[in-house]
Structures are given as C-alpha cells and as structure tokens.
Amino acid sequence: MGAALARAAQWTAAGSGTGTLEITPLNESLLNQIIKFAEDFSTRHPQEAAFVFREPLEWKTQLGCSVFEEGYEIHGATVQSEAKGKDGQPLLLLTASTLRVRSFDQLSRLLQIAMEKKLKEAQACLEANRDPIMKILGPECGTVEGEDMSMLHLLEKVKKDDDPETEMKMKIYLLLHQFDLQLLNSSLKHISQDVRLNPAAINNEVNLLKNFSGKGEDTVLESLEYTSDYMFCNGCRAPPWRQVHGEICYLVIKPHDTDPLYITCSTAGVFLNGGQQKGKDDIDYERKSDVYKDIVTFLRERSPRFVENMAKQEYNFFKEPTYEKNYQRMEVADAKVSGQSQNLYDLTEKNVCEKVKSSAARRRSIDKKNLEPSMKWKNTGLSASHSDKATKKDTEEEGRSSTVSLKIKKKASGISSESVKIQRTSKCKTSGRFEDISESSSETEEDEEQPVRHQEGNTDLPSEYWGIQKLAKYLKGGNPTATVIALCSMRDFNLAQETCQLAIRDIGCLEVLINLLDTEEIKCQIGSLKILKEISQNTLIRHAIADLGGLQIMVKILDSPDKDLKCLAAETIANVARFKQARRTVRQHGGIKKLVGLLECISVGSTSLTPCQSKDTEIARCGALALWSCSKSTKNKEAIRKAGGIPLLARWLNSSHANILTPVVGTLQECASEPSYRLAIRTEGMIENLVKNLSSEHEELQMHCASAIFKCAEDKETRDLVRQHGGLQPLSVLLGNSENKQLLAAVTGAIWKCAISGENVSKFREYKAIEALVGLLSDQPEEVLVNIVGALGECCQEQINRTIIRKCGGIPPLVKLLTGTDQALLVNVTKAVGACATEPENMMIIDRLDGVRLLWSLLKNPNPDVQASAAWAICPCIENAKDAGEMVRSFVGGLELIVNLLKSKNKEVLASVCAAITNIAKDEENLAVITDHGVVPLLSKLANTNNDKLRRHLAEAISNCCMWGSNRVTFGETKAVAPLVRYLKSNDPSVHRATAQALYQLSEDPNNCITMHENGAVKLLLAMVGSTDETLQEAAAGCIANIRRLALATEKAKYG
C-alpha cells in the first residue's frame, strides 16, 4: 500500500493543514480496494490476521462508542477490545475520538462495524498513517524511493533465525507487496487516460517560446534553456535512470516577474522540480507542484506577466483588431490643459507623493485604457468651451493642492509615494482586452456580463456629480486625515445610485481608491474598500477595477492580519469576479487558496458565538461569497478542490446561520456540475444537510439546495440518499410556491432527477407531487416546463401514474407543448407523451388532439435528440391506436420522411426509427409503401453495427419487412444476412430473440439458408433452442428446420 499511496493516490493540502486525500474517482477506487482487502484479510489469512502490529494505526474516528457491541468492553467514552496482545494491551482502543488498532483482525471487524462510514474511516486512517506498512511491520519495511532491499533483509533473517514471528512478517510483507502492485496496476487504467507528452511536442513548444523570449519588455520570457545540450536518440535529454520514470527533459525558465523556475517535462505533463542542488551538479528531481498539461499552461499559472505579454504577442501575430469594451470614448482636453498637466508631472520627484496629476492627463490615461464614461455625461448638452473651462479650473485647483502634498514626507504621512501614485497599468489593460484562449469555463457567452450603457436625456449634471468632484480634491491631497474624512464623506452619498457610481469613475477617483489599497494606512484601506464594495455592484465599475489592477491588490490584502480588512476585500472580490477575466485574475494571483483559507474556523456549528467567533464566521461568509463568484470557471472549481475547499464547505453546511449557508450552498451547487464534486458531496455526507435546509425559511437557500440536489441526483446513490434522509417530501411541498420561478425551476429539476429511481416515484405519488406537477403545466417559463415535463416523463413509466395524469387533465397541456421550439422541452415532452400513449384511454385523447401528427412533424426537427425522442414516442402511438394503419397513411409524406431518417448518422435516431418501422410494417399497405421508398437496402446498410440497441430494433424491423413480396430475397442480395448471424454472439438476450426471428423469416429463401450455414448460424441457433424464452426457442428451431429442409432437398435432388 505504501508505494500506491505515495505514487498513485492524489493528495492535497487543506489550507495550512496536513495532506489529505482528494475525493476523486481514482482515490475512491483505491480506497474501496483497500477496504475490501482489509475486510477479507481475516477470513483469507486467519493466522496472519492475528499478527500484532509493531506500532498501532492511529487516527481520529467519527465512530461513537455505541457501534461497538460483542467482543468489546465499554467504559464511558473508552472502548477496548477483549482480545489483547502478548503485552496485555488491547488490540483496539478508542479514547475520546482517537482510535488505535493493532491487528488485521480488529481492522477487519472495525470496517464491518463502520458500515456506510467505512470509506471515511479508511480515508482518515490512511491520511494519518501515510506509510501503514512501516507501522505494521516496522521501520525496516517502510516504503523507500529507489531500490527496496527490505524483502532481502527479511529473507536473510528467516534463513538465519528459526523465528516463527519473522516468518510471519515475511508472509505479511509478501501479501502487502502483492496488493501494492495490484493497486498500482489498477491506477494505471485511470492514469493512462491522461494526455501523454512526447519529446517532439516539448521541443516544438520550447522553440516556439524561444522565438518570443529575450530582454525586451514585451517578450513573454527573459530566457528559456535546457539544462543539458545532449539529446539521446529517442529525443529525450533526461538521463536514462530518470527516463524510466517518464521524464523527458529539464528546463530553466526566467520569467520577467518571478525567480527562475526549474521544471521537469515528462510524459505525464510539466511540473516544478527542486532545482539545482547546492554544491552539486545534480538536480533535485522531486515534484514541487501540480502537474500541468504543457509548458504554456504551467507558465500561465505561475507568471501574470507571461499571460499579459503572451496576449500582446497573440495580438501582434494574428493582427486582430483592438477589442474595445462598450464604453463611450472620452474626448481629450485641449492642448493648453495638456501642456499644463505635463509641467505638473515634471515636478514629481522619486520619493514624493505622485498621486496628484492634472485632470486632462488623467483623462488621457483613462482614454488609453478605453475607460470611457457613460452616455449620461455625453448627452448633457454642455458646450465644449464650458467643459474646457471646468477642466482647466479643476486642473488649477489640483495644482495648488499638489504644492502642499509635495511637502509631505513619506514617514509623516504614512502613505508611500509609490503606493499612492496613479498606476499606469498597461498589463491590466492588455489582459483586459484578450481572453485567455486556454480558459475553460462552465459559463457560456450568454452568461458573460456585458457593460451596459444607460442613455439619459438630462440637460444638467446631477448635484451628486459636483459633490463627489469637490471631495476628489481632498481624496487626492496626500494627507491621511484628509483622505479618511473624504472617504467618510463620500460614503454619505447614495453609492447604490448609478449616478454616483459612474461619477466616481469619470472624475478619476476610482484609480485613487485602488491606489489607497496599496498603502499602509488601515483606515484608508478600509474606507476605500467600503466604497469599492458598494460601487462594484455596477458592471462598468467591475470591469474598470479589473483593468486597473485592483483585484491583484485585494488578493494580497487577504493575507492581512486585520479581520475587517479581509472581510471587505473578500466581499469586493465577490462583486468584481462576475466575469471571466476577473475570475482568471483571482486564480492566477493565488486568490483561490487564500479564499479557501478564510473558511477555516473552529466555531462551525456553534449556536451561541463569542464576538471573536462571530468575526471568524463573518470572514468565512465573505470568503464563501468570493468563492461562489469564482466557481463559475471550471479551472477555479478545480483550484478550489485542490486547495482543500470541499471538506471546509462540508463543515460549514452544519451551520445554522442562513447568511453563511447561502454562499456555501451556492458554491457547492455551482461546482456540482463537475463529477468529482458530486462524488464528494455524496461521500462527505452533505446530502443530509442539503435536505435539511430545504425546509429553511429563506427561499434563496432553499433554491440553492434544490439546485445542488438537481445536479447531484444524476447518480443513483445520491437519489437514494435524498429519499433516505426524507428529502422528497419537502421538495413536494415546495411545488406549492409557484410565485418564485427560480425556486420552482430548481425544485422541479430536483424532482425530475430524483424521479429517475422508481422507489422515489412511489413516494412522490404518496405526497401528491404528480397532481401538483400537472397543475403547473401552464403559464410557466420554459426552464420550469422542461423540468416539470421531464419529471412527468419519468413518473409515466408506471401505469398508475399514467392514469393519474389522465384524470388530472394533464394530457391536453402536454400535447399542446409539442408545438414549442425549445429543444430540451421537446425532448422531454415527446418522452412524456410517448409514455402516456401506452394506455389505450390516453391514446384516444392524444389522437383526438392530433398529437400523433405533431409527433410526426417533429421528425423534421434538425436536432437528433428531438428526432429520436419523437420516433420513440410514435411507437406506442401506433401500437395502441384503433386504426393505426389508416392513421399513419393519412400523414402526407410521413412514411417517406421516416424511411429517409435511416440515413442519419446518429445511433439513437437509427434505433428509434427502426423501432417505428417495426410497428409501421405490421400493416401490409404501409409495408408496401415503405418498400417502394427503399426501406430494404437502407436497413441492410445498417447491418454492420456493434451497437446492441440498434441491432435489436434493426433485426425486428428486418423480420417484419420480410412479410412483403420479395423483400427476403432483396435482404439476401444486399448482404444483410451474414452480419445478422454475428448478432447471435451478442451478450444481450433481447438481441438474440430479435435476430432469431429475423433469421427465421429470412430462411424462407434458399440462398439465405446457404449464407446462414456458411457463417455458422446452425451451431449458434442450436444452443438457443434450449432457451427458457419460448419465442426465441421457436424462432431458432424454425430457422434450423428451414436450413435442414433445404439440405435434405439438395441431397434428394443430387442422389435421387
């Protein structure tokens, strides 16, 4: 187990804690194998199971004293096993929450006692005992890198000493070593699916990056070099003893903004190594970072300057037009004012406050950044001369104030000149214009917010504008006291009003507010963040903050010891990180790990909190809000998981405070789109808390809980847990709240996915949920209707529910929805109508409402999913219609349409159309028509398929189509018989039945019998004659009989 845990298992670090096992499919597979091995050990190896470990395996358990019964002594909070070692110590000891186990026998019994908690116990045990073999057999058997001599030492000891205990250790070591190899082999299945690099790909990437590297400011890197110039014949530069580990070469990369990076390029990916060892020529080969798919992806995570300059290079190379945000262009002030601002700029000294610059210069700087004001200032009707005078007056006033600020010394003010100067953030500008081409986000383009302009016809500037402009002078003055007073005064304005928000940006205060974050004055930082938190609700402001580099500074503030400052920074990040560029910036500057760290708190679950605990809870709330905003990106979801965020979010789910539960559940439901999160939500016991909070008084919390269940209930285990924890009843109750459409969409979605399990459908029927769903079929948005109809489609799989839907009047609104255009809704409604059509009474209503015609028309829909779903729905309609043949013929061009769908490339469409043709061909006239449309050659072309679902329905269609004219002969001529014989080797019994029936029909033609015999059909059919399926028996026997008759007739003709 030692090597598998060290090499194959995926570990992470939760905040500042110790390494933990990630909740991933690979780890779950390894844990399940380890649990099975330990559980079976005592029965398969009873003597070895009694061996007492050298040191006990010790970990923090979640098991209580009550689970231990026979074979254990319980004294208060202490449990010990009756079985004891030679030293008289118990082989299992539980004190408080610490568990110590000293034998495989006790370990096996413990896992059986743990029942559903065994996975958590195994995980906790392995996390606390990273090398369990060393604890079991002693340090001499511990897992080591390189050549492992422990087995040889044990063998020598066995030879020298006739010691039974040493021999026992040898046996256990061999068993564990064999199991270790088994774990490593099983993990290869997962690992082998990863993208593998090769020397040629790495060499091409290195050469490409070298073309854009050098000493210039716009180059992506300063330098990039191999550590070795020697290349082996296989293209690798790594020494042979490292090539066996998959390593290809080693690089030294010098970015513009970080220390040199020493990286290893291997077949598994790119990662950071330990660099050059001091006093040696060798490299520290140990991995020091995550593994990335290529060098560019690695550098994007490590160097913001690389991302920025890479965007420039992409721009220059592809010559793309400059991407402009939807801000209006600000007009540049006249030359006189510009000249004055230049003179003022010349006065600035290195060690003095550089914050004050002229209005025109500031506007020119904003213009370069494409930060233009809202149309409301452009449409004010003021003349250019008036605007110029106002600008000039503002410039003169700032010039006077600069004389004062220039005299302020750095120490006296407490605000460094470098920290408050107006930043020329060209890097932010670049990153703001180009999206990271490798960014993979869960959100679509529609989810990306676009800056919105509101045009107003006001003829005068609002009074708030002039009030904020006056405050701007004091804000830029450089005096800390005046700055704090100005910040407080600015907060007196209604900052939720868009007029005030855009005034702050247009006057140039936004840059100053961001620069104040980089000072050492806590009061200035807090005041600035309070304003930024309010105004960042505005889309334009959010983009401007990101372009000015505000997010990078806020991420740094998350390390501040001041709790209020951390709260405000996290909350502001939550507001700003609502678009892709901002989310990427937070991740690239290490913000995700810092935000996860804010969730660490000891007061989780406490009902009465001390002031200190309340503050910690508030920090966690703000951190969860920021993570919620960031979690819309796929890469950020992965970063949250790797930072150990899942267990911390699970802990906060135990809280009773809705203000923190809402962002925590919001983050979880956002992340639940990833399979690794759904697995973690299930295994970490979060479903119980999600169900509990469905009964909360807060509708937003209820909505996010239902949405999380909606996404997680794709898995059967989760659906069962929702039912076991009593979650189906509150979901049914919430259907009564039809006013809140967002809540209704989440609840109906959760009911839909939970209804996939038949046991849940019975519960929903008991809670009258089906009647409630039918009542919601009208006057609802499409996103709600998709879920409602999906839920009804699942419920319709049972006959009693189809009757309920008919009695509640649900069939007419369902048929009416067939005229819609939403693709997802059409897929669900066709499934529901098709399921209802299996009842003759329901079919009469569907036919009367012209539902079959509407279904047939959906076969023209370009979406393959809609086509397939419509074709499946048509099958029960034909089966249960009174005069099905005449009904089908009444659809003009309908038969030709369905035959032409056999040319589709989609397997599901082909299977459903074959099923429909099977039913159509039962009517002789319709069979004649589809034969004329060329159904036989089209069916024959599909015969060479490995898809069992298509095989079954294709065979049934061929069987029914044989009933007309010379179709049997045509099937033989179009080479359909030989592939059908191969269907008999399938593992699906339904394929056997359909194929035997088709072969029986085809065997009526002598040439087909010869083909079947040549392809070995007789031997396969003989085995099926003994089947318990009577239909299969008869078809197989009939086919063999026809082949035999032909053979006898041939012999008689030949020999007389």
Side-chain angles (χ1 to χ4, degrees):
M1 289 184 288
L5 288 174
R7 297 173 189 169
Q10 297 166 331
W11 295 85
T12 185
S16 58
T18 56
T20 58
L21 281 167
E22 295 182 37
I23 304 297
T24 63
L26 172 58
N27 281 355
E28 188 183 32
S29 173
L30 291 174
L31 284 172
N32 283 328
Q33 290 180 68
I34 291 169
I35 289 168
K36 190 174 188 314
F37 175 79
E39 279 185 321
D40 297 345
F41 197 90
S42 59
T43 53
R44 296 176 64 182
H45 311 287
Q47 292 182 342
E48 288 79 6
F51 177 79
V52 179
F53 299 162
R54 175 73 68 88
E55 292 180 41
L57 296 177
E58 183 177 330
W59 70 93
K60 294 287 184 183
T61 182
Q62 296 181 2
L63 300 176
C65 300
S66 57
V67 299
F68 295 92
E69 295 176 356
E70 188 179 351
Y72 296 95
E73 299 172 358
I74 303 174
H75 305 286
T78 303
V79 178
Q80 64 180 29
S81 63
E82 293 176 355
K84 294 180 171 54
K86 293 178 181 178
D87 56 0
Q89 295 296 318
L91 297 180
L92 181 144
L93 179 64
L94 171 62
T95 53
S97 61
T98 303
L99 188 62
R100 296 177 182 84
V101 179
R102 300 177 62 207
S103 75
F104 278 110
D105 184 50
Q106 290 299 321
L107 198 59
S108 176
R109 293 184 64 184
L110 176 73
L111 289 171
Q112 291 167 10
I113 290 170
M115 297 177 69
E116 72 275 1
K117 292 184 179 179
K118 64 176 69 173
L119 193 68
K120 296 296 296 178
E121 290 300 310
Q123 182 181 349
C125 175
L126 294 173
E127 286 172 354
N129 305 277
R130 293 288 285 265
D131 191 357
I133 296 177
M134 186 177 72
K135 292 280 188 79
I136 293 168
L137 300 176
E140 66 274 11
C141 297
T143 305
V144 294
E145 288 294 329
E147 191 175 5
D148 189 356
M149 306 294 289
S150 51
M151 190 180 295
L152 291 175
H153 293 320
L154 269 175
L155 190 59
E156 288 174 5
K157 198 170 181 182
V158 169
K159 287 180 179 179
K160 288 180 182 178
D161 308 327
D162 189 13
D163 183 10
E165 187 175 343
T166 308
E167 190 175 345
M168 181 73 70
K169 282 177 67 174
M170 183 69 182
K171 289 181 181 177
I172 294 172
Y173 185 86
L174 288 171
L175 289 170
L176 293 175
H177 182 69
Q178 184 182 5
F179 179 59
D180 211 5
L181 292 175
Q182 181 185 325
L183 290 177
L184 288 170
N185 287 333
S186 69
S187 66
L188 282 175
K189 293 178 183 178
H190 295 268
I191 296 167
S192 61
Q193 294 170 0
D194 296 338
V195 177
R196 313 299 284 178
L197 294 180
N198 57 59
I202 291 172
N203 192 46
N204 290 339
E205 192 174 12
V206 169
N207 290 335
L208 181 65
L209 288 171
K210 279 186 174 181
N211 291 336
F212 295 101
S213 300
K215 294 295 183 184
E217 288 186 4
D218 292 336
T219 57
V220 295
L221 298 167
E222 283 189 18
S223 64
L224 180 147
E225 299 294 339
Y226 290 107
T227 58
S228 170
D229 293 330
Y230 182 78
M231 184 187 295
F232 292 88
C233 58
N234 60 0
C236 295
R237 297 172 188 262
W241 61 89
R242 297 305 302 175
Q243 288 185 33
V244 297
H245 296 287
E247 293 175 6
I248 298 170
C249 65
Y250 311 100
L251 297 171
V252 182
I253 299 176
K254 181 64 181 76
H256 289 287
D257 52 353
T258 67
D259 294 332
L261 302 172
Y262 295 84
I263 68 169
T264 298
C265 300
S266 71
T267 54
V270 176
F271 57 85
L272 194 69
N273 60 43
Q276 198 80 25
Q277 292 182 350
K278 291 183 180 179
K280 296 182 181 179
D281 293 334
D282 208 0
I283 292 173
D284 179 2
Y285 298 108
E286 186 179 351
R287 179 162 65 89
K288 304 293 184 182
S289 73
D290 292 333
V291 180
Y292 298 86
K293 66 178 181 179
D294 52 34
I295 301 170
V296 171
T297 306
F298 171 85
L299 290 170
R300 284 187 188 279
E301 292 293 330
R302 293 279 167 173
S303 170
R305 182 79 177 274
F306 173 82
V307 177
E308 163 202 333
N309 287 355
M310 196 70 179
K312 291 181 185 177
Q313 298 296 346
E314 290 164 3
Y315 172 70
N316 292 332
F317 185 79
F318 293 109
K319 295 184 180 178
E320 295 177 352
T322 305
Y323 171 74
E324 305 245 53
K325 285 209 167 34
N326 292 327
Y327 305 131
Q328 292 298 311
R329 174 71 61 182
M330 178 179 281
E331 297 183 21
V332 183
D334 61 15
K336 183 176 180 181
V337 178
S338 298
Q340 182 179 353
S341 69
Q342 183 62 43
N343 293 336
L344 180 61
Y345 182 74
D346 292 340
L347 293 172
T348 310
E349 295 177 1
K350 183 177 181 181
N351 62 339
V352 189
C353 176
E354 292 182 327
K355 183 170 61 174
V356 182
K357 292 186 175 66
S358 74
S359 172
R362 190 169 60 250
R363 293 188 183 208
R364 187 168 65 250
S365 173
I366 294 170
D367 192 25
K368 288 179 181 178
K369 297 186 182 88
N370 292 334
L371 296 174
E372 299 84 357
S374 165
M375 281 295 292
K376 69 170 63 175
W377 306 132
K378 270 210 141 181
N379 295 334
T380 54
L382 298 175
S383 65
S385 60
H386 178 84
S387 176
D388 287 347
K389 286 177 184 177
T391 306
K392 184 175 180 181
K393 180 180 177 183
D394 188 39
T395 306
E396 289 171 354
E397 288 177 352
E398 291 187 20
R400 288 196 295 271
S401 70
S402 69
T403 310
V404 178
S405 66
L406 288 173
K407 296 177 183 177
I408 300 174
K409 299 296 180 181
K410 180 177 177 182
K411 289 182 181 179
S413 67
I415 306 175
S416 70
S417 61
E418 281 150 14
S419 64
V420 291
K421 65 185 178 183
I422 296 176
Q423 300 170 352
R424 299 178 178 274
T425 52
S426 61
K427 81 175 180 184
C428 297
K429 172 187 168 185
T430 306
S431 64
R433 302 293 168 261
F434 297 95
E435 295 296 346
D436 186 345
I437 58 172
S438 71
E439 175 78 9
S440 172
S441 298
S442 60
E443 70 269 15
T444 59
E445 288 182 13
E446 288 77 7
D447 293 325
E448 281 298 305
E449 60 176 16
Q450 297 296 328
V452 180
R453 299 189 307 273
H454 299 290
Q455 296 191 13
E456 294 181 5
N458 295 344
T459 55
D460 296 312
L461 289 171
S463 59
E464 290 87 351
Y465 176 84
W466 300 112
I468 290 174
Q469 187 184 56
K470 289 176 183 177
L471 285 175
K473 295 183 297 181
Y474 301 103
L475 196 61
K476 302 168 186 176
N479 183 293
T481 307
T483 301
V484 171
I485 293 171
L487 290 170
C488 294
S489 301
M490 193 172 285
R491 287 198 65 216
D492 290 338
F493 287 94
N494 182 8
L495 296 178
Q497 187 179 344
E498 188 183 30
T499 304
C500 297
Q501 294 169 351
L502 297 180
I504 290 172
R505 188 202 65 177
D506 295 339
I507 293 169
C509 289
L510 195 57
E511 297 96 319
V512 181
L513 290 171
I514 290 171
N515 290 330
L516 286 173
L517 299 179
D518 214 7
T519 67
E520 296 175 0
E521 284 288 326
I522 299 293
K523 290 181 180 178
C524 290
Q525 289 177 307
I526 289 176
S528 175
L529 279 172
K530 283 184 176 180
I531 293 172
L532 289 170
K533 185 186 80 170
E534 294 294 330
I535 65 175
S536 59
Q537 301 288 346
N538 184 289
T539 304
L540 295 175
I541 300 291
R542 284 200 283 273
H543 283 262
I545 290 171
D547 285 346
L548 291 169
L551 279 170
Q552 291 91 319
I553 304 172
M554 291 178 208
V555 168
K556 288 180 184 176
I557 290 174
L558 294 175
D559 290 327
S560 169
D562 189 284
K563 294 183 177 181
D564 290 326
L565 204 54
K566 286 199 285 191
C567 282
L568 288 166
E571 233 175 327
T572 311
I573 289 171
N575 289 341
V576 177
R578 294 183 187 175
F579 61 102
K580 188 187 290 186
Q581 173 211 336
R583 289 191 285 272
R584 185 172 62 247
T585 301
V586 173
R587 184 184 71 251
Q588 289 174 342
H589 289 80
I592 298 295
K593 191 169 184 180
K594 293 177 182 179
L595 289 169
V596 169
L598 298 183
L599 297 179
E600 293 184 346
C601 176
I602 58 172
S603 62
V604 181
S606 304
T607 50
S608 58
L609 303 175
T610 64
C612 182
Q613 288 176 331
S614 297
K615 180 55 69 177
D616 287 343
T617 303
E618 179 62 14
I619 291 173
R621 183 190 72 84
C622 297
L625 278 171
L627 288 173
W628 188 5
S629 294
C630 292
S631 63
K632 291 185 183 296
S633 160
T634 303
K635 286 189 175 180
N636 284 354
K637 291 173 188 175
E638 182 69 10
I640 293 169
R641 184 180 64 79
K642 287 185 175 179
I646 296 177
L648 294 172
L649 289 168
R651 282 173 56 197
W652 278 110
L653 266 184
N654 294 311
S655 174
S656 56
H657 304 288
N659 62 341
I660 187 168
L661 278 171
T662 300
V664 166
V665 177
T667 306
L668 286 171
Q669 68 87 15
E670 196 69 56
C671 293
S673 57
E674 297 297 311
S676 58
Y677 275 88
R678 292 201 294 271
L679 174 63
I681 288 170
R682 186 176 77 241
T683 55
E684 293 277 353
M686 297 189 224
I687 297 296
E688 183 178 1
N689 287 312
L690 290 173
V691 167
K692 182 179 72 175
N693 287 310
L694 285 174
S695 304
S696 168
E697 296 176 356
H698 300 81
E699 289 189 356
E700 187 181 5
L701 178 56
Q702 289 176 323
M703 178 187 71
H704 293 309
C705 288
S707 182
I709 292 171
F710 174 30
K711 292 178 181 178
C712 293
E714 295 282 353
D715 309 314
K716 184 182 184 303
E717 295 88 344
T718 302
R719 295 195 292 271
D720 293 341
L721 285 172
V722 173
R723 182 182 69 256
Q724 290 162 13
H725 292 301
L728 302 181
Q729 186 171 14
L731 284 172
S732 303
V733 170
L734 286 171
L735 287 174
N737 189 348
S738 58
E739 299 300 320
N740 187 335
K741 300 303 180 186
Q742 286 184 317
L743 173 60
L744 190 61
V747 169
T748 50
I751 290 174
W752 172 19
K753 296 302 178 183
C754 288
I756 296 172
S757 295
E759 302 92 333
N760 292 350
V761 172
S762 302
K763 286 288 183 183
F764 283 132
R765 183 170 63 250
E766 182 184 329
Y767 300 138
K768 306 294 182 184
I770 297 172
E771 293 89 334
L773 288 168
V774 170
L776 293 169
L777 278 173
S778 57
D779 301 324
Q780 299 296 340
E782 283 186 342
E783 60 177 352
V784 176
L785 284 173
V786 169
N787 297 340
I788 292 172
V789 177
L792 289 174
E794 296 299 337
C795 294
C796 281
Q797 303 307 312
E798 296 181 8
Q799 187 272 332
I800 186 172
N801 295 334
R802 295 193 287 269
T803 305
I804 291 172
I805 290 172
R806 183 183 73 250
K807 289 181 177 178
C808 291
I811 294 177
L814 281 173
V815 172
K816 186 179 179 182
L817 289 174
L818 289 171
T819 59
T821 56
D822 185 271
Q823 305 296 301
L825 178 58
L826 287 173
V827 170
N828 284 355
V829 77
T830 47
K831 180 179 178 180
V833 171
C836 287
T838 55
E839 298 292 320
E841 296 91 339
N842 293 352
M843 184 56 218
M844 290 173 61
I845 300 172
I846 293 169
D847 192 17
R848 188 173 69 246
L849 297 169
D850 214 15
V852 184
R853 185 183 299 277
L854 291 172
L855 284 171
W856 216 286
S857 67
L858 289 176
L859 295 174
K860 300 176 185 177
N861 193 292
N863 189 323
D865 294 333
V866 176
Q867 290 175 345
S869 189
W872 286 122
I874 285 169
C875 296
C877 291
I878 297 173
E879 286 177 12
N880 294 286
K882 279 190 175 180
D883 190 359
E886 185 60 36
M887 178 186 72
V888 171
R889 285 192 294 279
S890 69
F891 304 141
V892 178
L895 291 173
E896 184 179 5
L897 171 64
I898 203 160
V899 169
N900 285 333
L901 280 177
L902 289 172
K903 299 173 184 176
S904 172
K905 301 296 183 185
N906 186 286
K907 292 286 193 293
E908 189 68 20
V909 172
L910 292 172
S912 60
V913 169
C914 286
I917 287 173
T918 301
N919 288 287
I920 291 168
K922 291 175 182 177
D923 181 88
E924 193 173 65
E925 289 185 44
N926 290 338
L927 176 55
V929 174
I930 62 174
T931 300
D932 292 341
H933 287 308
V935 72
V936 173
L938 287 173
L939 288 172
S940 298
K941 282 183 181 179
L942 301 177
N944 288 299
T945 179
N946 294 321
N947 185 297
D948 277 346
K949 189 174 186 179
L950 176 55
R951 281 176 165 184
R952 173 194 166 188
H953 294 291
L954 175 59
E956 288 175 349
I958 289 173
S959 176
N960 284 8
C961 287
C962 285
M963 303 296 186
W964 176 257
S966 61
N967 283 358
R968 291 186 181 88
V969 177
T970 311
F971 277 121
E973 291 171 350
T974 51
K975 312 294 184 187
V977 179
L980 277 175
V981 173
R982 293 197 290 273
Y983 292 7
L984 296 174
K985 297 177 182 178
S986 168
N987 295 322
D988 189 345
S990 61
V991 174
H992 295 165
R993 174 197 274 200
T995 305
Q997 288 175 310
L999 291 174
Y1000 172 58
Q1001 293 297 332
L1002 291 167
S1003 66
E1004 298 289 336
D1005 177 62
N1007 290 324
N1008 291 344
C1009 286
I1010 295 169
T1011 306
M1012 291 177 204
H1013 190 272
E1014 288 174 349
N1015 286 274
V1018 174
K1019 184 177 179 181
L1020 295 167
L1021 288 168
L1022 278 171
M1024 294 175 186
V1025 172
S1027 170
T1028 54
D1029 185 338
E1030 291 185 6
T1031 306
L1032 175 57
Q1033 273 183 351
E1034 290 178 10
C1039 184
I1040 293 170
N1042 287 339
I1043 295 171
R1044 181 60 183 155
R1045 283 193 198 99
L1046 176 64
L1048 289 172
T1050 305
E1051 287 179 12
K1052 187 174 182 181
K1054 187 174 181 181
Y1055 300 110

